C-alpha cells in the first residue's frame, strides 16, 4: 500500500525510514560486490588448479606408458600391473570429474560464440539457472515450430505474396541462427550433444554423407548436360537453372544414374531401421533418435516413389513408341 502522509511530521518519519532502508541497501550491495570479488578469485583459483592437475595427469599417463613399454609385463610384478591399471582408471575418472567441475566455472567461448558474441561469459553458475535455460530453449523451439508451421501453411494455401514469402524466409534464417547460438551456450554450460548413441551411428552417418555427396556430383553433371543440350536446342533460356520434363535423349544418362539413386534411397531406409533399433536399447534416453529414424523413413518413401515414378514414365514412353511403330 502506498504511503500518503498528511502532515510534515509523518513525512519526516517516512524519510527516516527511507534513509535506514537506503543504508541497508548500500551495505547489502557492498557485501554483494565483495562476495563477487571473492567468487571471481575462487573461480580463477579453481580453474588454475584444474589446469595444473590436467597437465600433471597427462605427464603421469605418458610416464606410465613408458614404464609399460620399457618394462614388459613379464618383468613387472602382478602387484605393479594392478597398481598401474588402478591408476589409469582413476585418471579417467578424474578427467570426468574435472569436466563436471568446469561446467560451473567460467571458460572461454568456442569459435562460433566468439565470432558472434565476443568474449562475453555465458556460463551459468548454478544448476537451477542451467535447467531454466534448457527449459526455455525447449519452449523456444516448440513455439517457433508452431509459428513456422502456421506461417508455411498460410503462404502455401491462403496467400501468395512475395513480401510474405520473404518474411517467412527471414524468419527461418533468424530461427536457425538463433538456435545455433542457444545450442552453443547450452554446450558451454555442460550440455552433451555427443553421447554413446551418437558414436554408434556416427560412422554409418558420415559414410552415408560421403555417398550422398558422390551421387550429388553425378547428378550435377547429368543435369548440367541436360541443360546444356536444351539451351543448344533453343528450348531453355541461358539463365535457367533446372530442367523440367524429359526428352528422349535424356534417358540414357538417367539410366546410368538410377542404380546410384536407388542405392542411396535404400541406404536411407537402412539408416531409419538402424535408428529404430537404437531407440530400443536400454541406454537410449533421447527422443531425437526415433524422430531422426522417422525422418529417414519419410525421406526414403518420398525419394523412392519419386524415382520409381520416373522409371514408370520411361516405361510408358517406351510402350507408346512401340505401339506407334
Amino acid at each position: 500500500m502506498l504511503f500518503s502522509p498528511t502532515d510534515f511530521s509523518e513525512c519526516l518519519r517516512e524519510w527516516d525510514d527511507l534513509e535506514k532502508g537506503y543504508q541497508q541497501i548500500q551495505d547489502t550491495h557492498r557485501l554483494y560486490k565483495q562476495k563477487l570479488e571473492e567468487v571471481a578469485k575462487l573461480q580463477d583459483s579453481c580453474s588454475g588448479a584444474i589446469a595444473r592437475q590436467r597437465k600433471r595427469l597427462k605427464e603421469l599417463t605418458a610416464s606410465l606408458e613408458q614404464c609399460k613399454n620399457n618394462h614388459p609385463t613379464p618383468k613387472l610384478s602382478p602387484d605393479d600391473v594392478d597398481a598401474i591399471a588402478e591408476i589409469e582408471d582413476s585418471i579417467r575418472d578424474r578427467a570426468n570429474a574435472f569436466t563436471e567441475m568446469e561446467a560451473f566455472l567460467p571458460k572461454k567461448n568456442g569459435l562460433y560464440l566468439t565470432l558472434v558474441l565476443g568474449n562475453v561469459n555465458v556460463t551459468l553458475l548454478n544448476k537451477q539457472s542451467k535447467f531454466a535455460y534448457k527449459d526455455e530453449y525447449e519452449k523456444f523451439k516448440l513455439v517457433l515450430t508452431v509459428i513456422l508451421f502456421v506461417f508455411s501453411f498460410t503462404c502455401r494455401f491462403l496467400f501468395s505474396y512475395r513480401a510474405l514469402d520473404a518474411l517467412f524466409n527471414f524468419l527461418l534464417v533468424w530461427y536457425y541462427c538463433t538456435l545455433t547460438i542457444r545450442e552453443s551456450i547450452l554446450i558451454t554450460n555442460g550440455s552433451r550433444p555427443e553421447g554413446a548413441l551418437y558414436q554408434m551411428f556416427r560412422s554409418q552417418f558420415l559414410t552415408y554423407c560421403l555417398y550422398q555427396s558422390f551421387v550429388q556430383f553425378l547428378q550435377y553433371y547429368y543435369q548440367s548436360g541436360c541443360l546444356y543440350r536444351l539451351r543448344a536446342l533453343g528450348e531453355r533460356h541461358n539463365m535457367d537453372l533446372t530442367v523440367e520434363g524429359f526428352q528422349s535423349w535424356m534417358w540414357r544418362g538417367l539410366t546410368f544414374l538410377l542404380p546410384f539413386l536407388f542405392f542411396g534411397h535404400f541406404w536411407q531406409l537402412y539408416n531409419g531401421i538402424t535408428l529404430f533399433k537404437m531407440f530400443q536399447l536400454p541406454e537410449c534416453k533421447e527422443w531425437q533418435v526415433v524422430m531422426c529414424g522417422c525422418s529417414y523413413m519419410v525421406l526414403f518413401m518420398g525419394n523412392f516413389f519419386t524415382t520409381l515414378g520416373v522409371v514408370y514414365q520411361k516405361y510408358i514412353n517406351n510402350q507408346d513408341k512401340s505401339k506407334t511403330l
Side-chain angles (χ1 to χ4, degrees):
M1 185 176 179
L2 295 177
F3 174 74
S4 299
T6 58
D7 56 27
F8 183 67
S9 61
E10 292 182 357
C11 292
L12 287 177
R13 285 196 299 271
E14 179 65 16
W15 174 249
D16 291 338
D17 291 339
L18 289 173
E19 279 288 307
K20 292 177 182 178
Y22 177 67
Q23 293 297 326
Q24 291 178 353
I25 293 173
Q26 283 187 318
D27 294 339
T28 303
H29 189 262
R30 192 179 300 111
L31 180 61
Y32 168 72
K33 291 194 296 182
Q34 179 184 345
K35 295 298 182 182
L36 278 182
E37 293 177 358
E38 293 177 0
V39 168
K41 291 179 181 178
L42 287 173
Q43 288 172 346
D44 294 339
S45 176
C46 192
S47 298
I50 291 175
R52 289 190 294 272
Q53 276 271 320
R54 284 188 183 275
K55 182 179 179 181
R56 294 178 63 183
L57 288 175
K58 185 177 180 180
E59 294 172 351
L60 179 59
T61 301
S63 300
L64 290 174
E65 288 295 328
Q66 290 180 357
C67 289
K68 290 192 293 185
N69 294 332
N70 297 334
H71 302 283
T73 304
K75 295 184 179 180
L76 292 174
S77 65
D79 293 338
D80 293 338
V81 175
D82 293 340
I84 291 176
E86 185 177 351
I87 292 174
E88 289 176 339
D89 291 338
S90 299
I91 289 175
R92 285 190 289 269
D93 293 339
R94 193 161 299 179
N96 295 332
F98 286 153
T99 302
E100 294 290 338
M101 293 179 188
E102 287 175 336
F104 297 92
L105 291 171
K107 52 187 173 183
K108 293 183 179 179
N109 296 332
L111 178 61
Y112 179 72
L113 283 180
T114 301
L115 292 175
V116 175
L117 302 177
N119 293 323
V120 178
N121 179 28
V122 295
T123 306
L124 302 174
L125 301 181
N126 58 73
K127 288 185 178 180
Q128 290 78 11
S129 299
K130 293 178 186 291
F131 291 151
Y133 187 81
K134 181 179 180 298
D135 291 340
E136 197 273 337
Y137 163 80
E138 296 292 346
K139 293 177 182 177
F140 169 78
K141 287 203 302 182
L142 177 61
V143 171
L144 263 296
T145 300
V146 174
I147 292 175
L148 289 172
F149 175 80
V150 175
F151 213 145
S152 59
F153 180 87
T154 302
C155 293
R156 175 62 181 85
F157 296 105
L158 300 181
F159 302 103
S160 180
Y161 298 116
R162 184 66 185 88
L164 199 62
D165 294 347
L167 183 61
F168 174 69
N169 293 328
F170 170 78
L171 183 62
L172 281 176
V173 173
W174 174 82
Y175 169 66
Y176 286 110
C177 291
T178 306
L179 204 63
T180 56
I181 295 174
R182 288 173 178 249
E183 288 176 351
S184 299
I185 293 175
L186 281 173
I187 292 172
T188 301
N189 284 278
S191 181
R192 297 180 180 178
E194 178 181 346
L197 295 174
Y198 171 80
Q199 289 297 333
M200 290 173 60
F201 189 67
R202 178 178 181 273
S203 298
Q204 179 176 327
F205 174 72
L206 292 178
T207 308
Y208 165 75
C209 290
L210 287 173
Y211 180 79
Q212 187 181 45
S213 299
F214 170 70
V215 175
Q216 288 176 346
F217 177 77
L218 296 179
Q219 286 179 311
Y220 163 75
Y221 272 97
Y222 166 74
Q223 292 174 353
S224 61
C226 291
L227 193 59
Y228 174 78
R229 291 181 179 89
L230 288 173
R231 286 200 301 264
L233 294 172
E235 298 183 16
R236 286 294 185 273
H237 190 269
N238 289 334
M239 293 300 292
D240 285 348
L241 299 177
T242 59
V243 178
E244 296 180 357
F246 289 93
Q247 304 293 330
S248 60
W249 46 263
M250 294 182 188
W251 289 109
R252 182 170 56 183
L254 182 63
T255 304
F256 167 77
L257 190 60
L258 283 176
F260 296 98
L261 292 175
F262 276 115
F263 185 78
H265 300 340
F266 281 104
W267 200 334
Q268 291 173 341
L269 174 63
Y270 175 63
N271 287 341
I273 294 174
T274 301
L275 289 167
F276 285 138
K277 290 182 177 179
M278 290 171 56
F279 182 69
Q280 297 175 357
L281 296 175
E283 60 267 26
C284 180
K285 298 179 176 61
E286 295 87 357
W287 59 268
Q288 291 90 343
V289 175
V290 68
M291 294 306 298
C292 288
C294 293
S295 299
Y296 271 115
M297 297 300 290
V298 172
L299 282 175
F300 162 73
M301 290 187 290
N303 293 331
F304 176 77
F305 287 110
T306 300
T307 308
L308 202 62
V310 172
V311 176
Y312 179 73
Q313 182 181 352
K314 178 182 179 181
Y315 173 77
I316 294 298
N317 290 343
N318 291 337
Q319 292 292 322
D320 292 341
K321 287 181 180 179
S322 62
K323 291 179 180 179
T324 303
L325 295 175

